[in-house]
Amino acid sequence: MHICKSGNVLFTNSKGGHCINQHPGQGTQQQKKRGNMQAKFAVVGHPNKGKSSIVSTLSHNDQISISSRSGTTEKAEAYLVKTTTSAYALIDTPGFQRPTKVLQWLQQHAANASERAAVVAQFVADDTCQRQFPDEVALLKPIIDGAAILYVVDGSRPYGAEYEAEMEILRWTGQPSMALVNPIESEDCVDEWKSALAQFFKTVRVFNPFDADFDKQVELLQTFSFLNPDWQPSLSQVIEDLRQSRQRQQQESVQILVRLLLDVCSYQYCQKVLTHQQAKASEALLHKHFSNWVAQREKEAISELLSVFAHTTTSFSLDQIDTPPDLFDVDQWFAWGLNKKQLVSAATLAGAMGGAAVDMAVAGHSFMLGAIGGGLLGAGSAWFGSGKLLDLKVKGLPMGGFQACVGPIKNRNFPYVVIGRYVYLYRQIARLNHADRRALNVNADDFQTAVDNLEKNAQKTLHKACDKLIKQKRIDELDEVLSALLTVD
Ligand SMILES: Nc1nc2c(ncn2[C@@H]2O[C@H](COP(=O)(O)OP(=O)(O)O)[C@@H](O)[C@H]2O)c(=O)[nH]1
Ligand SMILES: [Mg+2]
């Protein structure tokens, strides 16, 4: 366990938390000044209201413990949210356990309002209070040390007077504060909460750490920056950095797909054999090796994708994308790649069909499908590749014996299937908040709609690129056309 001291607050860091001040007392005056400019927020509230979930989503850290069991967070833990050029800290805290008793103690020790903040500091430093009220001491310490307050409540449960002691204690600290209503199961009690919270907090926002998309998270950070004017420059920089890194994530995701496509569309597996007969006998094994390799390569790409978005512990299992549908289950392909109508359109747009077929394509899709669709798309069709995915090729070797090879896949829909599966997972992963540890659900998706929604020119470029992929030709424009498919919302 990593322990660091920040002022008189002890932060323990066992689960990927970061220290705010790594070398207390060693910084220059300027560093100290800058340190004060760094925004810090203590996330506080009742147990089980989503405090750790909020810290997890905002810090993009899926290693923070989140649990329906109350009391999972036992100590205050500081997480430094570091961006390219800036940073801010979120401090996860244990929930209030005995707020009424704590408020009584404070009231007994303060003669008037001017003493309140000092009395909270006295409470935090008091040995007996540390033993009697360890949770309240842990959650108030960072606030006394300068953190702003983010008070979290559950908007699906009714408001009750029992929360008033908590809010009163927080008010006594005199620190900047705002309330966050987390509608865990529903929005049923959000309005009730808003009215009550308005009595204690100038700023109240609804924020769901499981569902809040990137824009909502940025909006919340903007609100944070109003809590303390000193923090505005560094938080604006955080927001700018986050926007840029979001774009970088998209570009990296495109590059992962480009490499995947080039690899799986050019892959060939060969084995030396002694006779033609032996080649024939080893065909099934060659197919198996080929499919395993391609499936493994796809898994690698998805792992890379997860790591681009900093998902390390998602319960999503890569095996799920094999069944159903299997990458090589051609019957499922029209759901995952392009449908038949789109394939015909792809062929036309890519200029890949010659002569009569092109003339008929100009007459319109439905006519074309009716007239030649069956023949063109059926097994054994020359344009779409044979019904069989992999043909066995056997050639003689100069030194004697033969080489039996399978691949590359010639089927026209194959690159679309690879792109379709990847785009589907990308959209889920790019949207997945770090608090949300539920498994990704894997079903056929709207890849076909995404292709239809591309501009005509982009569609043409995509189809041309896929045509080249299958023909093992050089492609220059793949990145550009794939980025249009890899957008979220
Ligand atoms: N569905 C859903 N569950 C949530 C949300 N926020 C928290 N939870 C669940 O509520 C429980 C408590 O969350 P946690 O963040 O550990 O609360 P804490 O005790 O306040 O830190 C966990 O089971 C979470 O999965 C949310 O926005 N949506
Ligand atoms: Mg917690």
Side-chain angles (χ1 to χ4, degrees):
M1 186 184 294
H2 198 61
I3 297 179
C4 12
K5 263 191 167 171
S6 174
N8 58 359
V9 180
L10 188 70
F11 294 121
T12 59
N13 271 289
S14 54
K15 300 178 208 85
H18 302 271
C19 309
I20 296 181
N21 286 326
Q22 308 237 338
H23 306 288
Q26 289 176 6
T28 61
Q29 222 30 47
Q30 206 186 5
Q31 275 171 330
K32 276 186 188 153
K33 195 158 174 250
R34 228 185 291 134
N36 288 338
M37 293 301 192
Q38 189 176 78
K40 16 182 197 174
F41 303 90
V43 185
V44 298
H46 228 63
N48 256 329
K49 302 301 173 196
K51 298 182 295 297
S52 299
S53 301
I54 288 171
V55 174
S56 169
T57 284
L58 291 179
S59 64
H60 302 162
N61 182 338
D62 62 4
Q63 310 212 9
I64 295 173
S65 297
I66 290 172
S67 161
S68 54
R69 206 163 43 84
S70 101
T72 305
T73 314
E74 289 172 354
K75 294 199 170 77
E77 296 201 32
Y79 296 89
L80 189 67
V81 184
K82 240 177 148 170
T83 61
T84 329
T85 61
S86 189
Y88 74 101
L90 286 169
I91 302 150
D92 194 12
T93 67
F96 279 100
Q97 294 294 340
R98 300 164 70 196
T100 317
K101 284 258 161 14
V102 173
L103 186 58
Q104 272 168 11
W105 189 98
L106 296 175
Q107 281 162 343
Q108 281 161 9
H109 290 77
N112 60 52
S114 73
E115 293 175 11
R116 287 179 176 177
V119 166
V120 181
Q122 195 187 324
F123 168 84
V124 163
D126 187 278
D127 285 347
T128 318
C129 293
Q130 285 170 9
R131 270 194 309 277
Q132 256 184 323
F133 308 106
D135 298 287
E136 279 79 4
V137 166
L139 78 92
L140 289 169
K141 249 182 179 178
I143 300 172
I144 291 302
D145 199 42
I149 298 162
L150 303 178
Y151 181 64
V152 181
V153 301
D154 177 0
S156 51
R157 299 282 172 86
Y159 171 73
E162 68 270 25
Y163 295 94
E164 281 166 22
E166 296 176 4
M167 294 191 279
E168 189 59 15
I169 294 169
L170 294 173
R171 189 155 62 179
W172 276 47
T173 65
Q175 280 299 102
S177 64
M178 71 178 281
L180 294 175
V181 186
N182 174 14
I184 294 189
E185 275 159 14
S186 70
E187 305 224 344
D188 290 354
C189 308
V190 168
D191 288 339
E192 186 182 329
W193 269 107
K194 278 186 177 167
S195 313
L197 290 166
Q199 296 292 316
F200 294 86
F201 299 93
K202 278 210 279 293
T203 314
V204 178
R205 292 283 184 276
V206 177
F207 185 79
N208 183 327
F210 277 39
D211 296 343
D213 62 18
F214 181 76
D215 289 339
K216 286 229 177 66
Q217 294 178 35
V218 165
E219 224 176 274
L220 185 66
L221 282 173
Q222 261 151 358
T223 317
F224 287 0
S225 73
F226 297 125
L227 291 185
N228 179 342
D230 286 349
W231 295 345
Q232 257 176 25
S234 71
L235 282 174
S236 300
Q237 197 53 51
V238 163
I239 292 171
E240 180 53 32
D241 287 352
L242 286 176
R243 287 209 171 101
Q244 282 181 13
S245 80
R246 185 90 183 150
Q247 272 180 355
R248 258 196 319 275
Q249 285 173 323
Q250 200 235 2
Q251 287 156 2
E252 280 172 32
S253 308
V254 170
Q255 290 313 317
I256 295 170
L257 176 56
V258 168
R259 289 194 297 272
L260 169 69
L261 271 174
L262 291 174
D263 282 359
V264 299
C265 290
S266 63
Y267 184 63
Q268 183 179 49
Y269 182 65
C270 298
Q271 220 175 37
K272 270 190 195 161
V273 285
L274 294 173
T275 60
H276 267 281
Q277 207 180 9
Q278 203 182 16
K280 200 76 206 131
S282 63
E283 189 174 359
L285 216 64
L286 292 177
H287 278 202
K288 202 170 164 48
H289 181 101
F290 185 98
S291 335
N292 286 347
W293 188 89
V294 173
Q296 189 51 42
R297 183 64 190 81
E298 187 189 47
K299 281 184 192 178
E300 252 172 58
I302 303 304
S303 295
E304 280 180 65
L305 187 59
L306 283 166
S307 87
V308 163
F309 287 92
H311 286 293
T312 56
T313 58
T314 172
S315 51
F316 165 64
S317 149
L318 293 177
D319 293 331
Q320 280 176 281
I321 57 169
D322 280 345
T323 49
D326 187 279
L327 182 54
F328 294 97
D329 183 349
V330 184
D331 288 341
Q332 292 271 2
W333 275 15
F334 294 114
W336 281 86
L338 296 185
N339 59 35
K340 296 184 184 188
K341 186 175 158 186
Q342 285 179 314
L343 273 176
V344 174
S345 162
T348 318
L349 282 171
M353 272 193 303
V358 172
D359 294 340
M360 272 191 275
V362 178
H365 298 152
S366 48
F367 166 70
M368 191 170 164
L369 271 178
I372 57 164
L376 190 64
L377 296 163
S381 141
W383 197 83
F384 290 97
S386 65
K388 214 164 117 191
L389 269 187
L390 291 166
D391 289 326
L392 179 74
K393 280 165 251 138
V394 185
K395 61 176 188 216
L397 293 171
M399 306 295 287
F402 298 89
Q403 192 172 40
C405 298
V406 286
I409 292 183
K410 291 269 180 277
N411 192 296
R412 300 278 165 166
N413 212 358
F414 185 67
Y416 296 102
V417 175
V418 175
I419 301 171
R421 288 158 68 94
Y422 184 89
V423 166
Y424 177 67
L425 284 164
Y426 168 82
R427 288 187 177 181
Q428 291 197 61
I429 292 167
R431 269 194 206 128
L432 182 69
N433 283 345
H434 290 75
D436 190 352
R437 318 280 165 83
R438 295 169 294 194
L440 293 179
N441 70 18
V442 181
N443 288 307
D445 180 52
D446 56 358
F447 170 61
Q448 295 171 354
T449 320
V451 171
D452 282 340
N453 286 344
L454 289 176
E455 272 183 58
K456 263 279 172 294
N457 264 343
Q459 286 194 30
K460 199 166 161 179
T461 322
L462 171 71
H463 299 321
K464 280 198 161 152
C466 286
D467 188 49
K468 285 183 187 160
L469 274 169
I470 283 304
K471 292 179 177 155
Q472 314 300 313
K473 286 188 187 159
R474 225 179 79 93
I475 317 162
D476 301 316
E477 58 296 272
L478 200 52
D479 312 28
E480 208 181 308
V481 63
L482 293 177
S483 7
L485 286 169
L486 265 61
T487 50
V488 274
D489 299 318

